[in-house]
Amino acid sequence: MANSKYEYVRFFEQPDTLLPNTWIVVRIDGRGFTKLCAKYGFEKPNDKRAIDLMNAAAKAVMADLPDIVLAYGVSDEYSFVFHKTCQLFERRASKLVSTVVSTFTAFYLHLWPTFFSGGLVDDVPLVAPLLPTFDGRAVCYPSVQNLRDYLSWRQVDCHINNLYNTTFWALVQKGGMDSVEATGLLKGTFSADKNEILFSRFQINYNNEPEMYKKGSVVFRDYELVDPASSNVAQTAEAADNVAEPPTLSKSKVESDKKRRAKARITVEHIDIIKDEFWDRRPWLLT
Ligand code: ATP
Ligand code: ATP
Ligand code: MG
Ligand code: MG
Ligand code: MG
Ligand code: MG
Ligand code: MG
């Protein structure tokens, strides 16, 4: 292409390449979902249709981008973990974030009618201008331990918020309080207090609440599970960090791994990712 006198504007572009050999987490979050929930009548505290829709959109993103090894979702947010060796878009942050956000949003809108119509209640069509949109950011984590701590942070947040929301909405929906009264009652309470309120006033045992609400959603590529007792078990997080890089894999091995990953079934589970067990049983995820 011929150069033009306008070509110089290209040099205003700033590089935003992410640090090599680090786990890239792209976290997206629904914009103004408090308002959006109210407009489209989400059930409180947890609208299952909305969570299923988030999970379906996340699965579609993972199917589209094989460099993503795992995703974790709760409420209106989703964290996508790109493998540390990922070279997509030369690891440019703006390219990665905008691709994840727009792919997720496209599927969220496309799949909305699948989850918000045809059920027992009336159809809930999307009506402009209040449409679902998402923001996004990218953060690099240099070690497996840092990455696991990030994911633990999100899952702990899920637990704390869900316990609060479950108690708050029980007080409002079953206890006849208004939101000011419920907020006042919960101010300064600890987890044990909330569990006690749920049990003594509403006969709700928080432990029996659905795992989907208590744990959030973990999306990953499913291979065969490894028995944690066997000898060729996964390295622990610390070991994985300390171990030297494996000898360079042959090109065909890299290719076949890639194909295997692309073909693997993408599953959603609502399980603990803070303890070692999840990772020990799925050693392919973080190696
Ligand atoms: P921001 O644009 O700053 O993110 P926001 O209104 O989206 O503003 P968040 O902190 O992201 O604020 O909170 C998301 C809100 O959406 C929370 O109130 C949460 O309870 C609600 N929400 C998200 N998913 C669901 C769901 N499946 N069912 C019911 N409520 C939900
Ligand atoms: P990348 O993902 O790298 O952006 P791309 O295939 O989208 O790859 P672009 O450089 O963005 O590559 O080029 C966009 C392509 O789409 C061009 O070939 C352009 O001619 C074509 N295109 C875009 N809009 C139209 C349109 N309205 N009608 C016909 N062709 C179009
Ligand atoms: Mg936000
Ligand atoms: Mg939000
Ligand atoms: Mg949020
Ligand atoms: Mg273009
Ligand atoms: Mg293009």
Side-chain angles (χ1 to χ4, degrees):
M1 221 193 343
N3 287 337
S4 78
K5 67 170 180 173
Y6 306 114
E7 203 91 328
Y8 78 95
V9 296
R10 207 171 212 327
F11 296 105
F12 283 73
E13 265 186 46
Q14 296 298 298
D16 64 348
T17 310
L18 293 167
L19 203 64
N21 204 37
T22 53
W23 301 90
I24 302 168
V25 174
V26 173
R27 180 168 78 253
I28 63 157
D29 184 282
R31 294 174 58 222
F33 262 48
T34 309
K35 217 169 144 192
L36 191 109
C37 293
K39 170 166 172 179
Y40 293 105
F42 283 20
E43 281 161 35
K44 287 298 189 174
N46 292 295
D47 189 309
K48 186 170 182 299
R49 299 167 298 177
I51 299 173
D52 287 337
L53 173 54
M54 290 288 290
N55 293 345
K59 281 175 83 171
V61 169
M62 280 189 68
D64 191 46
L65 301 169
D67 291 285
I68 299 172
V69 293
L70 175 124
Y72 176 72
V74 49
S75 181
D76 67 340
E77 71 169 62
Y78 240 103
S79 299
F80 295 92
V81 180
F82 287 83
H83 198 272
K84 65 177 179 171
T85 60
C86 166
Q87 289 304 325
L88 186 61
F89 302 126
E90 288 104 40
R91 299 173 71 88
R92 288 161 65 188
S94 53
K95 288 271 196 176
L96 289 168
V97 172
S98 58
T99 299
V100 170
V101 169
S102 68
T103 306
F104 187 92
T105 308
F107 278 102
Y108 191 97
L109 296 175
H110 175 66
L111 295 170
W112 176 277
T114 309
F115 294 94
F116 280 92
S117 62
L120 296 172
V121 289
D122 287 345
D123 291 1
V124 186
L126 288 170
V127 181
L130 193 57
L131 296 170
T133 57
F134 295 83
D135 65 35
R137 75 195 66 185
V139 181
C140 293
Y141 292 100
S143 69
V144 167
Q145 190 61 59
N146 292 149
L147 175 66
R148 281 194 46 187
D149 287 345
Y150 169 82
L151 293 165
S152 298
W153 173 53
R154 297 324 301 148
Q155 193 164 50
V156 167
D157 207 62
C158 168
H159 165 73
I160 292 169
N161 288 331
N162 191 57
L163 178 58
Y164 183 93
N165 291 337
T166 304
T167 316
F168 176 92
W169 286 102
L171 289 168
V172 171
Q173 292 164 346
K174 300 188 169 115
M177 287 190 180
D178 63 32
S179 64
V180 177
E181 290 170 320
T183 307
L185 184 89
L186 291 177
K187 205 168 169 218
T189 56
F190 297 106
S191 290
D193 305 317
K194 295 184 191 79
N195 275 297
E196 182 56 27
I197 293 171
L198 281 173
F199 196 70
S200 60
R201 296 200 191 195
F202 308 109
Q203 292 75 54
I204 295 172
N205 182 345
Y206 183 76
N207 291 330
N208 297 338
E209 289 293 292
E211 295 299 309
M212 181 192 239
Y213 305 155
K214 289 188 297 183
K215 299 280 198 308
S217 301
V218 188
V219 191
F220 55 94
R221 291 172 215 283
D222 213 5
Y223 301 83
E224 274 167 66
L225 282 182
V226 171
D227 175 3
S230 80
S231 57
N232 63 344
V233 176
Q235 300 146 355
T236 60
E238 308 90 87
D241 281 343
N242 296 334
V243 151
E245 288 296 311
T248 320
L249 297 168
S250 72
K251 228 177 179 173
S252 63
K253 170 85 170 86
V254 171
E255 277 308 304
S256 69
D257 277 359
K258 212 172 170 178
K259 274 194 193 137
R260 238 179 111 213
R261 227 186 300 155
K263 269 203 264 173
R265 197 163 52 102
I266 298 171
T267 48
V268 183
E269 289 195 25
H270 315 290
I271 47 181
D272 182 284
I273 52 172
I274 299 172
K275 294 193 212 83
D276 290 334
E277 190 192 348
F278 173 84
W279 307 102
D280 286 349
R281 299 196 73 192
R282 298 168 185 83
W284 60 87
L285 287 176
L286 298 184
T287 50

